[in-house]
PDB file of all heavy atoms in Angstrom:
ATOM      1  N   ILE A  12     -44.803-165.361 346.460  1.00 96.00           N
ATOM      2  CA  ILE A  12     -43.984-166.591 346.079  1.00 96.00           C
ATOM      3  C   ILE A  12     -43.695-166.639 344.610  1.00 96.00           C
ATOM      4  O   ILE A  12     -42.520-167.153 344.165  1.00 96.00           O
ATOM      5  CB  ILE A  12     -44.827-167.900 346.496  1.00 96.00           C
ATOM      6  CG1 ILE A  12     -44.803-167.947 348.024  1.00 96.00           C
ATOM      7  CG2 ILE A  12     -44.096-169.098 345.870  1.00 96.00           C
ATOM      8  CD1 ILE A  12     -45.568-169.178 348.642  1.00 96.00           C
ATOM      9  N   TYR A  13     -44.552-166.261 343.750  1.00 96.00           N
ATOM     10  CA  TYR A  13     -44.263-166.335 342.221  1.00 96.00           C
ATOM     11  C   TYR A  13     -43.426-165.152 341.810  1.00 96.00           C
ATOM     12  O   TYR A  13     -42.808-165.175 340.766  1.00 96.00           O
ATOM     13  CB  TYR A  13     -45.535-166.364 341.468  1.00 96.00           C
ATOM     14  CG  TYR A  13     -46.055-167.761 341.257  1.00 96.00           C
ATOM     15  CD1 TYR A  13     -47.043-168.180 341.867  1.00 96.00           C
ATOM     16  CD2 TYR A  13     -45.502-168.580 340.231  1.00 96.00           C
ATOM     17  CE1 TYR A  13     -47.576-169.634 341.757  1.00 96.00           C
ATOM     18  CE2 TYR A  13     -45.964-169.908 340.093  1.00 96.00           C
ATOM     19  CZ  TYR A  13     -46.914-170.337 340.807  1.00 96.00           C
ATOM     20  OH  TYR A  13     -47.391-171.703 340.620  1.00 96.00           O
ATOM     21  N   LEU A  14     -43.340-163.998 342.741  1.00 95.00           N
ATOM     22  CA  LEU A  14     -42.636-162.840 342.358  1.00 95.00           C
ATOM     23  C   LEU A  14     -41.144-162.878 342.929  1.00 95.00           C
ATOM     24  O   LEU A  14     -40.191-162.560 342.114  1.00 95.00           O
ATOM     25  CB  LEU A  14     -43.274-161.571 342.775  1.00 95.00           C
ATOM     26  CG  LEU A  14     -42.500-160.247 342.795  1.00 95.00           C
ATOM     27  CD1 LEU A  14     -42.331-159.894 341.304  1.00 95.00           C
ATOM     28  CD2 LEU A  14     -43.195-159.163 343.573  1.00 95.00           C
ATOM     29  N   VAL A  15     -41.005-163.136 344.097  1.00 95.00           N
ATOM     30  CA  VAL A  15     -39.730-162.954 344.896  1.00 95.00           C
ATOM     31  C   VAL A  15     -38.592-164.030 344.425  1.00 95.00           C
ATOM     32  O   VAL A  15     -37.585-163.598 343.925  1.00 95.00           O
ATOM     33  CB  VAL A  15     -40.012-162.950 346.314  1.00 95.00           C
ATOM     34  CG1 VAL A  15     -38.486-162.934 347.121  1.00 95.00           C
ATOM     35  CG2 VAL A  15     -40.748-161.874 346.768  1.00 95.00           C
ATOM     36  N   PRO A  16     -38.755-165.325 344.495  1.00 95.00           N
ATOM     37  CA  PRO A  16     -37.772-166.272 344.121  1.00 95.00           C
ATOM     38  C   PRO A  16     -37.281-166.209 342.742  1.00 95.00           C
ATOM     39  O   PRO A  16     -35.982-166.045 342.404  1.00 95.00           O
ATOM     40  CB  PRO A  16     -38.454-167.575 344.459  1.00 95.00           C
ATOM     41  CG  PRO A  16     -39.350-167.335 345.440  1.00 95.00           C
ATOM     42  CD  PRO A  16     -39.937-166.031 345.166  1.00 95.00           C
ATOM     43  N   PRO A  17     -38.330-166.125 341.731  1.00 94.00           N
ATOM     44  CA  PRO A  17     -37.840-166.068 340.364  1.00 94.00           C
ATOM     45  C   PRO A  17     -37.119-164.761 340.137  1.00 94.00           C
ATOM     46  O   PRO A  17     -36.198-164.694 339.307  1.00 94.00           O
ATOM     47  CB  PRO A  17     -39.223-166.079 339.601  1.00 94.00           C
ATOM     48  CG  PRO A  17     -40.082-166.873 340.506  1.00 94.00           C
ATOM     49  CD  PRO A  17     -39.741-166.352 341.777  1.00 94.00           C
ATOM     50  N   SER A  18     -37.565-163.563 340.768  1.00 94.00           N
ATOM     51  CA  SER A  18     -36.826-162.283 340.511  1.00 94.00           C
ATOM     52  C   SER A  18     -35.343-162.415 340.993  1.00 94.00           C
ATOM     53  O   SER A  18     -34.487-161.943 340.386  1.00 94.00           O
ATOM     54  CB  SER A  18     -37.551-161.274 341.276  1.00 94.00           C
ATOM     55  OG  SER A  18     -38.865-161.105 340.735  1.00 94.00           O
ATOM     56  N   ILE A  19     -35.101-162.991 342.167  1.00 93.00           N
ATOM     57  CA  ILE A  19     -33.795-163.125 342.688  1.00 93.00           C
ATOM     58  C   ILE A  19     -32.960-164.063 341.827  1.00 93.00           C
ATOM     59  O   ILE A  19     -31.852-163.809 341.599  1.00 93.00           O
ATOM     60  CB  ILE A  19     -33.928-163.621 344.071  1.00 93.00           C
ATOM     61  CG1 ILE A  19     -34.570-162.578 344.934  1.00 93.00           C
ATOM     62  CG2 ILE A  19     -32.423-163.891 344.634  1.00 93.00           C
ATOM     63  CD1 ILE A  19     -34.793-163.042 346.447  1.00 93.00           C
ATOM     64  N   LEU A  20     -33.433-165.183 341.248  1.00 94.00           N
ATOM     65  CA  LEU A  20     -32.859-166.035 340.383  1.00 94.00           C
ATOM     66  C   LEU A  20     -32.398-165.363 339.153  1.00 94.00           C
ATOM     67  O   LEU A  20     -31.290-165.574 338.666  1.00 94.00           O
ATOM     68  CB  LEU A  20     -33.592-167.317 340.043  1.00 94.00           C
ATOM     69  CG  LEU A  20     -33.849-168.284 341.194  1.00 94.00           C
ATOM     70  CD1 LEU A  20     -34.953-169.315 340.844  1.00 94.00           C
ATOM     71  CD2 LEU A  20     -32.464-168.961 341.645  1.00 94.00           C
ATOM     72  N   ILE A  21     -33.286-164.472 338.635  1.00 93.00           N
ATOM     73  CA  ILE A  21     -33.031-163.817 337.335  1.00 93.00           C
ATOM     74  C   ILE A  21     -31.817-162.702 337.680  1.00 93.00           C
ATOM     75  O   ILE A  21     -30.848-162.603 336.782  1.00 93.00           O
ATOM     76  CB  ILE A  21     -34.256-163.096 336.791  1.00 93.00           C
ATOM     77  CG1 ILE A  21     -35.210-163.976 336.290  1.00 93.00           C
ATOM     78  CG2 ILE A  21     -33.891-161.952 335.765  1.00 93.00           C
ATOM     79  CD1 ILE A  21     -36.530-163.433 336.021  1.00 93.00           C
ATOM     80  N   ILE A  22     -31.951-162.055 338.769  1.00 92.00           N
ATOM     81  CA  ILE A  22     -30.814-161.159 339.144  1.00 92.00           C
ATOM     82  C   ILE A  22     -29.460-161.879 339.285  1.00 92.00           C
ATOM     83  O   ILE A  22     -28.364-161.381 338.815  1.00 92.00           O
ATOM     84  CB  ILE A  22     -31.119-160.474 340.528  1.00 92.00           C
ATOM     85  CG1 ILE A  22     -32.344-159.497 340.317  1.00 92.00           C
ATOM     86  CG2 ILE A  22     -29.845-159.700 341.048  1.00 92.00           C
ATOM     87  CD1 ILE A  22     -32.950-158.860 341.682  1.00 92.00           C
ATOM     88  N   LEU A  23     -29.493-163.020 339.857  1.00 90.00           N
ATOM     89  CA  LEU A  23     -28.133-163.744 340.085  1.00 90.00           C
ATOM     90  C   LEU A  23     -27.652-164.229 338.727  1.00 90.00           C
ATOM     91  O   LEU A  23     -26.492-164.330 338.511  1.00 90.00           O
ATOM     92  CB  LEU A  23     -28.487-165.080 340.926  1.00 90.00           C
ATOM     93  CG  LEU A  23     -28.794-164.907 342.431  1.00 90.00           C
ATOM     94  CD1 LEU A  23     -29.113-166.242 343.172  1.00 90.00           C
ATOM     95  CD2 LEU A  23     -27.587-164.174 343.147  1.00 90.00           C
ATOM     96  N   CYS A  24     -28.609-164.596 337.830  1.00 91.00           N
ATOM     97  CA  CYS A  24     -28.147-164.909 336.362  1.00 91.00           C
ATOM     98  C   CYS A  24     -27.589-163.640 335.690  1.00 91.00           C
ATOM     99  O   CYS A  24     -26.480-163.774 335.075  1.00 91.00           O
ATOM    100  CB  CYS A  24     -29.232-165.424 335.636  1.00 91.00           C
ATOM    101  SG  CYS A  24     -29.744-167.155 336.191  1.00 91.00           S
ATOM    102  N   LEU A  25     -28.178-162.541 335.921  1.00 92.00           N
ATOM    103  CA  LEU A  25     -27.761-161.309 335.213  1.00 92.00           C
ATOM    104  C   LEU A  25     -26.366-160.913 335.859  1.00 92.00           C
ATOM    105  O   LEU A  25     -25.475-160.328 335.166  1.00 92.00           O
ATOM    106  CB  LEU A  25     -28.678-160.127 335.514  1.00 92.00           C
ATOM    107  CG  LEU A  25     -30.048-160.343 334.781  1.00 92.00           C
ATOM    108  CD1 LEU A  25     -31.053-159.171 335.022  1.00 92.00           C
ATOM    109  CD2 LEU A  25     -29.866-160.247 333.155  1.00 92.00           C
ATOM    110  N   PHE A  26     -26.172-161.136 337.100  1.00 89.00           N
ATOM    111  CA  PHE A  26     -24.841-160.753 337.727  1.00 89.00           C
ATOM    112  C   PHE A  26     -23.820-161.964 337.468  1.00 89.00           C
ATOM    113  O   PHE A  26     -22.713-161.766 337.973  1.00 89.00           O
ATOM    114  CB  PHE A  26     -25.047-160.622 339.339  1.00 89.00           C
ATOM    115  CG  PHE A  26     -25.845-159.456 339.748  1.00 89.00           C
ATOM    116  CD1 PHE A  26     -26.157-159.410 341.015  1.00 89.00           C
ATOM    117  CD2 PHE A  26     -26.100-158.493 338.819  1.00 89.00           C
ATOM    118  CE1 PHE A  26     -26.854-158.114 341.441  1.00 89.00           C
ATOM    119  CE2 PHE A  26     -26.828-157.399 339.281  1.00 89.00           C
ATOM    120  CZ  PHE A  26     -27.128-157.203 340.512  1.00 89.00           C
ATOM    121  N   LYS A  27     -24.130-162.879 336.704  1.00 88.00           N
ATOM    122  CA  LYS A  27     -23.254-164.004 336.378  1.00 88.00           C
ATOM    123  C   LYS A  27     -22.819-164.789 337.700  1.00 88.00           C
ATOM    124  O   LYS A  27     -21.643-165.242 337.491  1.00 88.00           O
ATOM    125  CB  LYS A  27     -22.207-163.534 335.493  1.00 88.00           C
ATOM    126  CG  LYS A  27     -22.601-162.881 334.199  1.00 88.00           C
ATOM    127  CD  LYS A  27     -21.380-162.528 333.349  1.00 88.00           C
ATOM    128  CE  LYS A  27     -21.935-161.969 331.892  1.00 88.00           C
ATOM    129  NZ  LYS A  27     -20.760-161.524 331.079  1.00 88.00           N
ATOM    130  N   VAL A  28     -23.672-164.892 338.640  1.00 87.00           N
ATOM    131  CA  VAL A  28     -23.245-165.702 339.660  1.00 87.00           C
ATOM    132  C   VAL A  28     -23.673-167.189 339.482  1.00 87.00           C
ATOM    133  O   VAL A  28     -22.917-168.019 339.812  1.00 87.00           O
ATOM    134  CB  VAL A  28     -24.156-165.173 341.000  1.00 87.00           C
ATOM    135  CG1 VAL A  28     -23.845-166.224 342.161  1.00 87.00           C
ATOM    136  CG2 VAL A  28     -23.755-163.717 341.387  1.00 87.00           C
ATOM    137  N   ILE A  29     -24.763-167.416 338.744  1.00 86.00           N
ATOM    138  CA  ILE A  29     -25.187-168.686 338.366  1.00 86.00           C
ATOM    139  C   ILE A  29     -25.557-168.621 336.897  1.00 86.00           C
ATOM    140  O   ILE A  29     -25.902-167.503 336.298  1.00 86.00           O
ATOM    141  CB  ILE A  29     -26.247-169.258 339.233  1.00 86.00           C
ATOM    142  CG1 ILE A  29     -27.626-168.323 339.263  1.00 86.00           C
ATOM    143  CG2 ILE A  29     -25.741-169.388 340.674  1.00 86.00           C
ATOM    144  CD1 ILE A  29     -28.768-168.973 339.916  1.00 86.00           C
ATOM    145  N   ALA A  30     -25.737-169.843 336.283  1.00 87.00           N
ATOM    146  CA  ALA A  30     -26.415-169.867 335.078  1.00 87.00           C
ATOM    147  C   ALA A  30     -27.740-170.472 335.080  1.00 87.00           C
ATOM    148  O   ALA A  30     -28.054-171.247 336.047  1.00 87.00           O
ATOM    149  CB  ALA A  30     -25.485-170.712 334.113  1.00 87.00           C
ATOM    150  N   TRP A  31     -28.679-170.315 334.106  1.00 88.00           N
ATOM    151  CA  TRP A  31     -30.036-170.838 334.170  1.00 88.00           C
ATOM    152  C   TRP A  31     -29.935-172.303 333.749  1.00 88.00           C
ATOM    153  O   TRP A  31     -30.353-172.675 332.751  1.00 88.00           O
ATOM    154  CB  TRP A  31     -30.852-170.011 333.352  1.00 88.00           C
ATOM    155  CG  TRP A  31     -32.420-170.373 333.727  1.00 88.00           C
ATOM    156  CD1 TRP A  31     -33.202-171.328 333.070  1.00 88.00           C
ATOM    157  CD2 TRP A  31     -33.256-169.615 334.654  1.00 88.00           C
ATOM    158  NE1 TRP A  31     -34.378-171.339 333.699  1.00 88.00           N
ATOM    159  CE2 TRP A  31     -34.532-170.317 334.625  1.00 88.00           C
ATOM    160  CE3 TRP A  31     -33.090-168.488 335.484  1.00 88.00           C
ATOM    161  CZ2 TRP A  31     -35.559-169.735 335.419  1.00 88.00           C
ATOM    162  CZ3 TRP A  31     -34.060-167.980 336.231  1.00 88.00           C
ATOM    163  CH2 TRP A  31     -35.285-168.681 336.007  1.00 88.00           C
ATOM    164  N   LYS A  32     -29.387-173.026 334.598  1.00 85.00           N
ATOM    165  CA  LYS A  32     -29.250-174.524 334.503  1.00 85.00           C
ATOM    166  C   LYS A  32     -29.734-175.260 335.639  1.00 85.00           C
ATOM    167  O   LYS A  32     -29.792-174.785 336.729  1.00 85.00           O
ATOM    168  CB  LYS A  32     -27.751-174.896 334.215  1.00 85.00           C
ATOM    169  CG  LYS A  32     -27.219-174.353 332.900  1.00 85.00           C
ATOM    170  CD  LYS A  32     -25.763-174.896 332.719  1.00 85.00           C
ATOM    171  CE  LYS A  32     -25.223-174.358 331.311  1.00 85.00           C
ATOM    172  NZ  LYS A  32     -23.841-174.874 331.092  1.00 85.00           N
ATOM    173  N   ALA A  33     -30.072-176.516 335.444  1.00 83.00           N
ATOM    174  CA  ALA A  33     -30.815-177.331 336.399  1.00 83.00           C
ATOM    175  C   ALA A  33     -30.051-177.381 337.692  1.00 83.00           C
ATOM    176  O   ALA A  33     -30.582-177.381 338.822  1.00 83.00           O
ATOM    177  CB  ALA A  33     -31.306-178.706 335.874  1.00 83.00           C
ATOM    178  N   GLN A  34     -28.749-177.650 337.504  1.00 82.00           N
ATOM    179  CA  GLN A  34     -27.862-177.935 338.653  1.00 82.00           C
ATOM    180  C   GLN A  34     -27.859-176.643 339.525  1.00 82.00           C
ATOM    181  O   GLN A  34     -27.373-176.828 340.708  1.00 82.00           O
ATOM    182  CB  GLN A  34     -26.441-178.415 338.336  1.00 82.00           C
ATOM    183  CG  GLN A  34     -25.698-177.213 337.643  1.00 82.00           C
ATOM    184  CD  GLN A  34     -24.355-177.788 337.083  1.00 82.00           C
ATOM    185  OE1 GLN A  34     -24.171-178.070 335.939  1.00 82.00           O
ATOM    186  NE2 GLN A  34     -23.474-177.902 338.042  1.00 82.00           N
ATOM    187  N   TYR A  35     -28.068-175.474 339.108  1.00 85.00           N
ATOM    188  CA  TYR A  35     -28.090-174.288 339.893  1.00 85.00           C
ATOM    189  C   TYR A  35     -29.502-173.839 340.304  1.00 85.00           C
ATOM    190  O   TYR A  35     -29.818-173.550 341.543  1.00 85.00           O
ATOM    191  CB  TYR A  35     -27.233-173.125 339.209  1.00 85.00           C
ATOM    192  CG  TYR A  35     -25.959-173.447 338.786  1.00 85.00           C
ATOM    193  CD1 TYR A  35     -25.715-173.538 337.402  1.00 85.00           C
ATOM    194  CD2 TYR A  35     -24.923-173.714 339.654  1.00 85.00           C
ATOM    195  CE1 TYR A  35     -24.392-173.856 337.049  1.00 85.00           C
ATOM    196  CE2 TYR A  35     -23.709-173.951 339.360  1.00 85.00           C
ATOM    197  CZ  TYR A  35     -23.332-174.112 338.006  1.00 85.00           C
ATOM    198  OH  TYR A  35     -22.134-174.474 337.540  1.00 85.00           O
ATOM    199  N   ILE A  36     -30.335-173.800 339.268  1.00 88.00           N
ATOM    200  CA  ILE A  36     -31.742-173.130 339.551  1.00 88.00           C
ATOM    201  C   ILE A  36     -32.595-173.969 340.487  1.00 88.00           C
ATOM    202  O   ILE A  36     -33.254-173.532 341.381  1.00 88.00           O
ATOM    203  CB  ILE A  36     -32.404-172.990 338.162  1.00 88.00           C
ATOM    204  CG1 ILE A  36     -31.642-171.938 337.328  1.00 88.00           C
ATOM    205  CG2 ILE A  36     -33.834-172.431 338.348  1.00 88.00           C
ATOM    206  CD1 ILE A  36     -31.456-170.575 337.932  1.00 88.00           C
ATOM    207  N   ILE A  37     -32.530-175.346 340.338  1.00 86.00           N
ATOM    208  CA  ILE A  37     -33.404-176.134 341.158  1.00 86.00           C
ATOM    209  C   ILE A  37     -33.059-176.058 342.734  1.00 86.00           C
ATOM    210  O   ILE A  37     -33.875-175.781 343.468  1.00 86.00           O
ATOM    211  CB  ILE A  37     -33.480-177.559 340.631  1.00 86.00           C
ATOM    212  CG1 ILE A  37     -33.991-177.589 339.180  1.00 86.00           C
ATOM    213  CG2 ILE A  37     -34.317-178.455 341.591  1.00 86.00           C
ATOM    214  CD1 ILE A  37     -35.335-176.968 339.035  1.00 86.00           C
ATOM    215  N   PRO A  38     -31.821-176.379 343.105  1.00 86.00           N
ATOM    216  CA  PRO A  38     -31.478-176.317 344.484  1.00 86.00           C
ATOM    217  C   PRO A  38     -31.550-174.915 345.047  1.00 86.00           C
ATOM    218  O   PRO A  38     -31.999-174.669 346.166  1.00 86.00           O
ATOM    219  CB  PRO A  38     -30.031-176.863 344.460  1.00 86.00           C
ATOM    220  CG  PRO A  38     -29.439-176.741 343.199  1.00 86.00           C
ATOM    221  CD  PRO A  38     -30.568-176.928 342.226  1.00 86.00           C
ATOM    222  N   ILE A  39     -31.092-173.915 344.281  1.00 89.00           N
ATOM    223  CA  ILE A  39     -31.067-172.506 344.814  1.00 89.00           C
ATOM    224  C   ILE A  39     -32.521-171.944 344.771  1.00 89.00           C
ATOM    225  O   ILE A  39     -32.888-171.388 345.836  1.00 89.00           O
ATOM    226  CB  ILE A  39     -30.076-171.734 344.008  1.00 89.00           C
ATOM    227  CG1 ILE A  39     -28.606-172.099 344.213  1.00 89.00           C
ATOM    228  CG2 ILE A  39     -30.355-170.159 344.402  1.00 89.00           C
ATOM    229  CD1 ILE A  39     -27.791-171.263 343.397  1.00 89.00           C
ATOM    230  N   GLY A  40     -33.219-172.439 343.829  1.00 91.00           N
ATOM    231  CA  GLY A  40     -34.754-171.963 343.718  1.00 91.00           C
ATOM    232  C   GLY A  40     -35.327-172.568 344.842  1.00 91.00           C
ATOM    233  O   GLY A  40     -36.343-171.987 345.484  1.00 91.00           O
ATOM    234  N   GLY A  41     -35.166-173.769 345.170  1.00 90.00           N
ATOM    235  CA  GLY A  41     -35.814-174.474 346.310  1.00 90.00           C
ATOM    236  C   GLY A  41     -35.483-173.838 347.617  1.00 90.00           C
ATOM    237  O   GLY A  41     -36.467-173.722 348.509  1.00 90.00           O
ATOM    238  N   ILE A  42     -34.259-173.394 347.837  1.00 90.00           N
ATOM    239  CA  ILE A  42     -33.879-172.682 349.081  1.00 90.00           C
ATOM    240  C   ILE A  42     -34.684-171.400 349.095  1.00 90.00           C
ATOM    241  O   ILE A  42     -35.305-171.182 350.363  1.00 90.00           O
ATOM    242  CB  ILE A  42     -32.389-172.368 349.150  1.00 90.00           C
ATOM    243  CG1 ILE A  42     -31.573-173.679 349.240  1.00 90.00           C
ATOM    244  CG2 ILE A  42     -32.003-171.566 350.201  1.00 90.00           C
ATOM    245  CD1 ILE A  42     -30.067-173.612 348.997  1.00 90.00           C
ATOM    246  N   LEU A  43     -34.692-170.636 348.022  1.00 93.00           N
ATOM    247  CA  LEU A  43     -35.380-169.380 348.085  1.00 93.00           C
ATOM    248  C   LEU A  43     -36.914-169.488 348.278  1.00 93.00           C
ATOM    249  O   LEU A  43     -37.514-168.831 349.123  1.00 93.00           O
ATOM    250  CB  LEU A  43     -35.081-168.705 346.657  1.00 93.00           C
ATOM    251  CG  LEU A  43     -33.931-168.019 346.477  1.00 93.00           C
ATOM    252  CD1 LEU A  43     -33.661-167.612 345.143  1.00 93.00           C
ATOM    253  CD2 LEU A  43     -33.722-166.825 347.342  1.00 93.00           C
ATOM    254  N   ILE A  44     -37.487-170.474 347.613  1.00 95.00           N
ATOM    255  CA  ILE A  44     -38.944-170.735 347.795  1.00 95.00           C
ATOM    256  C   ILE A  44     -39.217-171.191 349.125  1.00 95.00           C
ATOM    257  O   ILE A  44     -40.210-170.618 349.766  1.00 95.00           O
ATOM    258  CB  ILE A  44     -39.454-171.713 346.732  1.00 95.00           C
ATOM    259  CG1 ILE A  44     -39.324-171.221 345.291  1.00 95.00           C
ATOM    260  CG2 ILE A  44     -40.886-172.211 347.017  1.00 95.00           C
ATOM    261  CD1 ILE A  44     -39.415-172.300 344.286  1.00 95.00           C
ATOM    262  N   GLY A  45     -38.479-171.978 349.768  1.00 92.00           N
ATOM    263  CA  GLY A  45     -38.714-172.443 351.131  1.00 92.00           C
ATOM    264  C   GLY A  45     -38.596-171.178 352.170  1.00 92.00           C
ATOM    265  O   GLY A  45     -39.370-171.073 353.014  1.00 92.00           O
ATOM    266  N   GLN A  46     -37.639-170.361 351.899  1.00 92.00           N
ATOM    267  CA  GLN A  46     -37.380-169.145 352.736  1.00 92.00           C
ATOM    268  C   GLN A  46     -38.653-168.265 352.669  1.00 92.00           C
ATOM    269  O   GLN A  46     -39.096-167.689 353.728  1.00 92.00           O
ATOM    270  CB  GLN A  46     -36.159-168.437 352.333  1.00 92.00           C
ATOM    271  CG  GLN A  46     -36.030-167.027 352.947  1.00 92.00           C
ATOM    272  CD  GLN A  46     -35.542-167.000 354.368  1.00 92.00           C
ATOM    273  OE1 GLN A  46     -35.264-168.064 354.797  1.00 92.00           O
ATOM    274  NE2 GLN A  46     -35.541-165.786 354.960  1.00 92.00           N
ATOM    275  N   VAL A  47     -39.116-167.985 351.330  1.00 95.00           N
ATOM    276  CA  VAL A  47     -40.310-167.057 351.267  1.00 95.00           C
ATOM    277  C   VAL A  47     -41.453-167.647 351.802  1.00 95.00           C
ATOM    278  O   VAL A  47     -42.344-166.996 352.386  1.00 95.00           O
ATOM    279  CB  VAL A  47     -40.435-166.738 349.668  1.00 95.00           C
ATOM    280  CG1 VAL A  47     -41.654-165.951 349.495  1.00 95.00           C
ATOM    281  CG2 VAL A  47     -39.203-165.888 349.306  1.00 95.00           C
ATOM    282  N   MET A  48     -41.734-168.999 351.669  1.00 94.00           N
ATOM    283  CA  MET A  48     -42.937-169.783 352.041  1.00 94.00           C
ATOM    284  C   MET A  48     -42.962-169.599 353.573  1.00 94.00           C
ATOM    285  O   MET A  48     -43.875-169.266 354.239  1.00 94.00           O
ATOM    286  CB  MET A  48     -42.870-171.160 351.651  1.00 94.00           C
ATOM    287  CG  MET A  48     -43.962-172.058 352.135  1.00 94.00           C
ATOM    288  SD  MET A  48     -43.849-173.783 351.511  1.00 94.00           S
ATOM    289  CE  MET A  48     -42.587-174.314 352.540  1.00 94.00           C
ATOM    290  N   ASN A  49     -41.742-169.855 354.226  1.00 93.00           N
ATOM    291  CA  ASN A  49     -41.798-169.829 355.717  1.00 93.00           C
ATOM    292  C   ASN A  49     -42.031-168.376 356.266  1.00 93.00           C
ATOM    293  O   ASN A  49     -42.663-168.131 357.203  1.00 93.00           O
ATOM    294  CB  ASN A  49     -40.424-170.324 356.286  1.00 93.00           C
ATOM    295  CG  ASN A  49     -40.287-171.867 356.136  1.00 93.00           C
ATOM    296  OD1 ASN A  49     -41.290-172.590 356.082  1.00 93.00           O
ATOM    297  ND2 ASN A  49     -39.011-172.277 355.982  1.00 93.00           N
TER     298      ASN A  49
END
């Protein structure tokens, strides 16, 4: 859980899909964490 979601968020930021801002990281991070948790 601590490896997968943050890694994907960093990749998305590097690909310039999103920026490391609350309006993107929190909702998308929540979706990712929920997926990995389930």
Side-chain angles (χ1 to χ4, degrees):
I12 290 178
Y13 273 101
L14 171 67
V15 177
S18 299
I19 296 174
L20 288 172
I21 290 170
I22 291 170
L23 291 176
C24 289
L25 290 175
F26 289 172
K27 296 184 178 180
V28 176
I29 60 172
W31 197 273
K32 293 185 176 182
Q34 68 183 102
Y35 304 114
I36 297 300
I37 299 305
I39 294 177
I42 293 171
L43 282 170
I44 294 168
Q46 168 76 3
V47 173
M48 180 179 71
N49 290 334

